[in-house]
Amino acid sequence: MLLSCKYEEVTVPIVNDFILISDKAYTKSEVFDMEKELMNTLEFNLSVPTPFVFMKRFLKAARSYKEMELLCFYLIDPCLVEYEMLKFPPSLLAATAVFTAECTLKGSKQWTKTSEFHSQYSQNHVLQDLLYVNELINATHFSLLSYNYTEPVVTQLTETT
């Protein structure tokens, strides 16, 4: 519990609080020893990268602007909750969203050498994934997602660009 608090909470409880909660069943050193054992067992891997981690890098490489960023996030949102998308690496989903946004907004049908270098994916690889994302978009009703992206804050962002 202490480890999860350190990872998630803004203010971390002190160890003595956990000792009191456990009715002094553990000592301070036992709590720390268990925390070390947990971290070693997890090999310090507390989370996995999501497409958003990769998207930041790929958008920077593509010299994106606010409208392109919003479109990328709009495209990637349904992929995060769709079970079928788990078979794709998060980096490939991010690359596909960036490529789709570039094609849509810039009219470009080419995956640039810069984007290919930073993503490590060829245009053919991205296009194969694009077919699955396109099927997902066509098969899913985006009423809530569309509503989220028409909120005044998002609309103001797109109007300023």
Side-chain angles (χ1 to χ4, degrees):
M1 196 146 68
L2 180 62
L3 187 60
S4 61
C5 285
K6 286 181 177 180
Y7 190 72
E8 280 293 320
E9 298 296 327
V10 176
T11 57
V12 181
I14 57 175
V15 179
N16 291 336
D17 291 343
F18 288 106
I19 293 170
L20 285 173
I21 290 171
S22 68
D23 198 26
K24 298 184 181 181
Y26 304 99
T27 65
K28 197 179 222 180
S29 63
E30 288 175 322
V31 172
F32 287 134
D33 288 342
M34 184 53 69
E35 190 173 76
K36 283 187 238 175
E37 188 176 329
L38 253 170
M39 289 300 291
N40 287 328
T41 301
L42 294 172
E43 297 177 351
F44 289 82
N45 292 322
L46 298 179
S47 62
V48 295
T50 66
F52 292 117
V53 174
F54 296 99
M55 190 142 14
K56 288 180 198 174
R57 177 181 169 94
F58 300 162
L59 284 168
K60 189 174 182 179
R63 295 189 178 121
S64 70
Y65 45 95
K66 197 51 100 173
E67 191 177 21
M68 185 177 170
E69 290 173 17
L70 289 171
L71 182 55
C72 286
F73 291 122
Y74 178 80
L75 292 169
I76 206 72
D77 271 355
C79 297
L80 296 176
V81 295
E82 185 62 39
Y83 181 76
E84 288 294 316
M85 292 299 170
L86 288 175
K87 62 184 165 190
F88 299 107
S91 57
L92 182 57
L93 291 173
T96 301
V98 172
F99 179 69
T100 304
E102 279 185 321
C103 290
T104 304
L105 298 173
K106 294 180 180 177
S108 166
K109 301 287 188 240
Q110 293 294 317
W111 186 234
T112 65
K113 292 290 180 192
T114 305
S115 293
E116 187 174 328
F117 173 79
H118 287 283
S119 69
Q120 298 295 303
Y121 291 114
S122 67
Q123 181 169 333
N124 289 337
H125 203 153
V126 173
L127 284 172
Q128 288 173 348
D129 187 37
L130 184 59
L131 295 173
Y132 286 103
V133 173
N134 189 30
E135 286 176 21
L136 173 66
I137 289 170
N138 289 331
T140 308
H141 297 288
F142 286 104
S143 57
L144 182 59
L145 187 60
S146 296
Y147 176 77
N148 287 341
Y149 281 88
T150 57
E151 286 293 301
V153 174
V154 176
T155 308
Q156 288 171 358
L157 286 174
T158 57
E159 288 172 356
T160 60
T161 58

